[in-house]
Structure formats: C-alpha cells, structure tokens
C-alpha cells in the first residue's frame, strides 16, 4: 500500500511546518532587468518611441521594442511618469458626476445623469473610458 502525502493547508501554514534549507538573497530594486516580448519570447531592445493621446504627443520616450514583431513596452517608472503627465494636462477636461448605485439583487445598476447621457448620445460609435471614484459616507 502506498502512503499518501500529507496535504498542506497553505492558507494556515505554521513556521514549524516549513522544511528545507534556509536561503538568503538580495534584491536590487534599481537594477535594470532586460524586457522580453511576451509573444516572441526574445529580448527587447531599448528604443525611443512617440506616444499620442488625444491632442497631446510625447516624443522620444524611453521604451523597449521587440526586434521581431515590433511590440513596444514601457517600464513601470516611465509609464507612471507619462500617466501623471497626461492626467495633469487633462484636468480641465475631467468632470465629476454624482450618481446613485442601486441593485436588482444580482447586479449593480448605475444611472447616468441627463447631461452625460446627452453628451454620449451625440457621439456615435466611440469607445469611452469610465473612471469611478468610490466614496462611502
């Protein structure tokens, strides 16, 4: 008869249940790790790209580009910096609407204000990005 392995409850594991060797490692947060294309699985090369959003264009942004498929990638620091820049430049375009959220028992329902509904109805077949900031009071 084969003995069954004891199943480990990873949610409630205790330090005395841990076995194996003690390992030490060092994390270097500022080290540049090469980027790899998720489609081609090859190392991406540093590149300068242009990024356009609306009527704003940022030129010569540091990025990585796949030499095979051409896919472009920004690192986290650059991406965060660009998002902040776009957000600051678009603050005058951002409007807030207070909406009521209700439920039918299975789904949550949001009713759009008339002003927003009219604006959306005048622009045919466009994609929209809806940002929700929740505040519970």
């Amino acid at each position: 008869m084969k003995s069954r392995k004891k199943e480990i409850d990873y949610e409630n594991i205790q330090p005395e249940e841990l076995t194996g060797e003690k390992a030490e490692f060092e994390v270097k947060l500022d080290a540049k790790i090469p980027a790899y294309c998720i489609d081609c699985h090859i190392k991406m090369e540093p590149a300068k790209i242009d990024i356009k959003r609306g009527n704003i264009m940022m030129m010569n942004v540091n990025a990585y580009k796949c030499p095979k498929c051409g896919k472009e990638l920004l690192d986290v620091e650059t991406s965060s910096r660009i998002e902040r820049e776009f957000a600051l430049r678009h603050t005058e375009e951002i409007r807030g609407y207070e909406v009521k959220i209700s439920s039918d028992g299975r789904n949550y329902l949001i009713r759009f204000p008339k002003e927003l509904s009219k604006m959306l109805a005048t622009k045919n077949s466009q994609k929209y990005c809806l940002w929700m900031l929740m505040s519970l009071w």
Side-chain angles (χ1 to χ4, degrees), residues 102-109:
S102 55
S103 174
D104 67 358
R106 292 178 296 169
N107 302 302
Y108 288 100
L109 309 165

Side-chain angles (χ1 to χ4, degrees), residues 59-103:
M59 301 174 74
N60 295 322
V61 175
N62 291 327
Y64 296 98
K65 189 170 188 173
C66 177
K68 186 174 180 183
C69 70
K71 181 176 270 189
E72 297 168 338
L73 175 73
L74 296 173
D75 63 37
V76 175
E77 182 182 325
T78 304
S79 177
S80 297
R81 188 171 40 89
I82 288 172
E83 282 302 316
R84 278 194 306 272
E85 186 68 30
F86 279 129
L88 289 172
R89 292 183 185 203
H90 284 290
T91 52
E92 69 277 357
E93 297 175 14
I94 298 172
R95 282 191 217 134
Y97 297 94
E98 192 170 310
V99 295
K100 182 179 179 183
I101 300 175
S102 55
S103 174

Side-chain angles (χ1 to χ4, degrees), residues 43-61:
K43 187 176 177 180
M44 298 176 94
E45 299 172 348
K48 298 276 188 183
I49 63 171
D50 298 337
I51 299 174
K52 184 174 191 243
R53 184 182 292 172
N55 60 356
I56 300 171
M57 177 171 256
M58 293 188 180
M59 301 174 74
N60 295 322
V61 175

Side-chain angles (χ1 to χ4, degrees), residues 9-24:
D9 180 10
Y10 289 102
E11 296 293 321
N12 301 309
I13 198 163
Q14 300 297 315
E16 58 271 4
E17 297 173 328
L18 298 174
T19 59
E21 298 177 10
K22 183 177 181 178
E24 292 186 25

